[in-house]
Amino acid sequence: MATPANAVVYGEEIDIASSKYPWVASIWHSGPKDDYYYPICSGSLITQDAVLTAAHCLTKKGTYLVQMGSDLLDGESEDTFYEVASIWKHPFYDDESLDNDVGLLKLATHQTKVMPMSIANWADIQAVKNAKKFELLGWGYDEFGYSATFLGYAKLNNQTKKASTLFRNYDLDSNSMILAGRYIKRLGVYAGSGEGDSGGPLLATINGVNKVVGITSWGKNQNGLQSPTVYSNVAYQRSEIAEGLAILQRFMMVAARVI
């Protein structure tokens, strides 16, 4: 069974995320009976008022907040939090297999403080497949089980071609998914995503431009260390992401007329 993969393990910390990666969001949730918010996932600001993340991050009942432009994962900096007006999940998202694990959060305000990040498009499909190196970012737990204080970062290698041997008995689609990790031979584990940070961005340089090419999705075991991580391919899903943005925009326009 696919297990949501959520954190940067065997990476490093970025203590100046507010200036270097302000667009990498942490996603916070509060349940119907909660009186507090807690971080659950990561995401990428891709327009001035929309955050790209994993669909499985958006299945909880309750309300969401997005934190961006912060050096720390904490609930103290109120000016770095943004209310979420609505969410969108890929219409063919499968909660068991985690196929089409793509989601969006529409911010309640059109903010201009943080600039969005470029994402891969359909024309980048082959370039993404051929990419050898990736960068991973996320706000999750590290390999020791400690919650993030600073943004996590790791350099990874493309492992997609090894999918047939690394993921036997799993139904992997090399078009819609990217496998990435960095094998640490002396430890027998993979650096990459683990417990605590789904929805975070996977980056690659495509034709000289650094872009979000993947969304942290799942691993084949609970701690995610014995294999690379599976990422939703943003270029493959670009048309659906555009449609999701359009749907959320129409929703906001209707809501504004009602008010």
Side-chain angles (χ1 to χ4, degrees):
M1 179 179 177
T3 302
N6 301 321
V8 176
V9 294
Y10 292 101
E12 58 188 87
E13 293 181 324
I14 304 294
D15 59 5
I16 53 171
S18 64
S19 58
K20 195 169 184 179
Y21 301 106
W23 53 269
V24 181
S26 60
I27 299 168
W28 298 58
H29 178 263
S30 180
K33 297 182 179 180
D34 295 332
D35 57 2
Y36 58 91
Y37 284 86
Y38 52 94
I40 60 168
C41 285
S42 295
S44 307
L45 184 74
I46 61 169
T47 72
Q48 296 292 169
D49 57 0
V51 171
L52 179 68
T53 190
H56 77 256
C57 293
L58 307 179
T59 59
K60 298 177 180 290
K61 293 182 178 180
T63 56
Y64 294 87
L65 287 177
V66 167
Q67 185 178 36
M68 294 183 298
S70 176
D71 287 330
L72 304 173
L73 181 70
D74 63 35
E76 304 301 320
S77 304
E78 293 185 5
D79 61 337
T80 63
F81 279 91
Y82 299 86
E83 293 184 359
V84 173
S86 56
I87 63 173
W88 172 89
K89 297 190 295 292
H90 193 294
F92 297 112
Y93 165 64
D94 189 312
D95 196 38
E96 291 192 8
S97 67
L98 297 187
D99 288 345
N100 301 307
D101 196 8
V102 182
L104 294 164
L105 301 99
K106 183 76 168 179
L107 305 185
T109 57
H110 184 87
Q111 65 81 40
T112 57
K113 186 177 179 180
V114 180
M115 294 300 294
M117 183 61 175
S118 298
I119 66 173
N121 56 47
W122 184 257
D124 297 325
I125 281 280
Q126 196 57 47
V128 172
K129 283 188 176 183
N130 294 336
K132 295 182 179 179
K133 303 293 183 181
F134 298 107
E135 296 174 285
L136 171 67
L137 294 158
W139 290 102
Y141 292 80
D142 65 15
E143 63 273 19
F144 302 110
Y146 294 117
S147 178
T149 299
F150 300 105
L151 180 66
Y153 170 90
K155 292 183 178 180
L156 307 180
N157 303 317
N158 195 332
Q159 304 282 341
T160 306
K161 291 183 179 179
K162 298 181 180 179
S164 59
T165 56
L166 293 171
F167 282 75
R168 290 189 179 91
N169 302 321
Y170 285 80
D171 186 16
L172 294 181
D173 181 353
S174 61
N175 291 314
S176 64
M177 299 173 182
I178 301 169
L179 269 73
R182 189 182 76 252
Y183 188 64
I184 305 173
K185 188 174 181 179
R186 63 185 175 84
L187 298 174
V189 299
Y190 282 86
S193 295
E195 186 69 26
D197 171 64
S198 287
L202 185 72
L203 307 179
T205 300
I206 305 297
N207 298 321
V209 180
N210 205 23
K211 296 183 178 183
V212 176
V213 299
I215 303 166
T216 303
S217 184
W218 61 275
K220 69 175 184 178
N221 45 52
Q222 186 60 39
N223 61 23
L225 301 179
Q226 279 70 53
S227 69
T229 305
V230 179
Y231 301 84
S232 297
N233 188 328
V234 171
Y236 182 86
Q237 300 284 4
R238 188 63 183 88
S239 297
E240 286 72 19
I241 292 170
E243 179 60 25
L245 290 170
I247 290 171
L248 290 176
Q249 184 59 33
R250 290 195 294 269
F251 173 83
M252 292 292 285
M253 292 174 65
V254 170
R257 288 200 295 269
V258 170
I259 292 172

